[in-house]
Amino acid sequence: MQHGPAVRRRKLGAELRALRISAGLTSGEAARLAGWHQSKVSRIETGTSGVKPPDVRLLLDVYGVADRQLRELLLVLSGSGDGDGRHHWWHAYRGVLPPTYRDFISLESQASTMRTLETTVIPGLLQTPEYARAVTEAALEDASEERLDALVEVRLARQDVLRATPPLELSAVLDEAVLRREVGGPGVMTRQLNRLVEAARLPQVRLQVLPFGAGAHIGMTGPFVIFSFSRTSDLDVVVLDHLTSSLHLERKEDLRVYSEAFDALSIHALSPEDSLDFIAGAATGA
């Protein structure tokens, strides 16, 4: 269990090593072609030292990697603000976003699928502006109006991943408490639930409600997010949010446990069709 940057260094190093081997090169040959000492390639591949985006681009060129999406993903893992020359929008908010939040957004922007269990709030990708502001105000009681405005803008900008080509595929299991907790007042909550109904009809969104009647369940230990990437499963990661930081789980056994937990929650939750009816009922006060 590590913070985001350490996890990303190791994942990036492992992927670069696999690409080198696929290219039929030894670490010494790769270093020579890049104009480096062999030890630099070794440190990058083991994740013991960071690697700058220009160095990642050079290695990808040496290994003959032309896949634009893969290049973009690996550059994001290196901490690049510019994927192959494309500025990432969240860097405009660097002054108001903590590093852990920027890490989360960078993973979200490159993931192909996102599976999440939410036990307290509507997923950020599905929040209305009013709901997002109410949640942000509650979490940051002393924040200025300017900072609140910026954080809500970020929350809404993140939602573009659901409209991208291809879009992020979102699967969310929502504890019933998420729907019953009145955030921002009755009007805000009604509009938010109606927004969920709209989102549930999108082909890239799968929503399931875990009703109180389901009793105790494995998700009671807390919410989590599983990011998966279409280009390589070795980059999949589980993110656990805490009050002051986020932790990332990268081991295959951890990924297996959380994936199995999500599958179990999906089985115990209402079907997507019944969940849609449940949410619509909650919106009308039924």
Side-chain angles (χ1 to χ4, degrees), residues 27 73 76 104 156 205 211 245 266 271 276 278:
S27 59
L73 173 57
V76 167
F104 185 91
L156 300 179
V205 176
S245 65
S266 297
S271 69
L276 179 59
F278 192 98

Side-chain angles (χ1 to χ4, degrees), residues 21-38:
I21 292 173
S22 294
L25 298 173
T26 66
S27 59
E29 290 169 337
R32 178 178 56 79
L33 290 171
W36 300 341
H37 191 279
Q38 182 178 355

Side-chain angles (χ1 to χ4, degrees), residues 153-172:
E153 286 178 10
V154 168
R155 184 67 55 90
L156 300 179
R158 284 174 47 203
Q159 298 176 4
D160 284 345
V161 296
L162 295 176
R163 297 182 286 270
T165 305
L168 173 73
E169 294 183 9
L170 172 65
S171 294

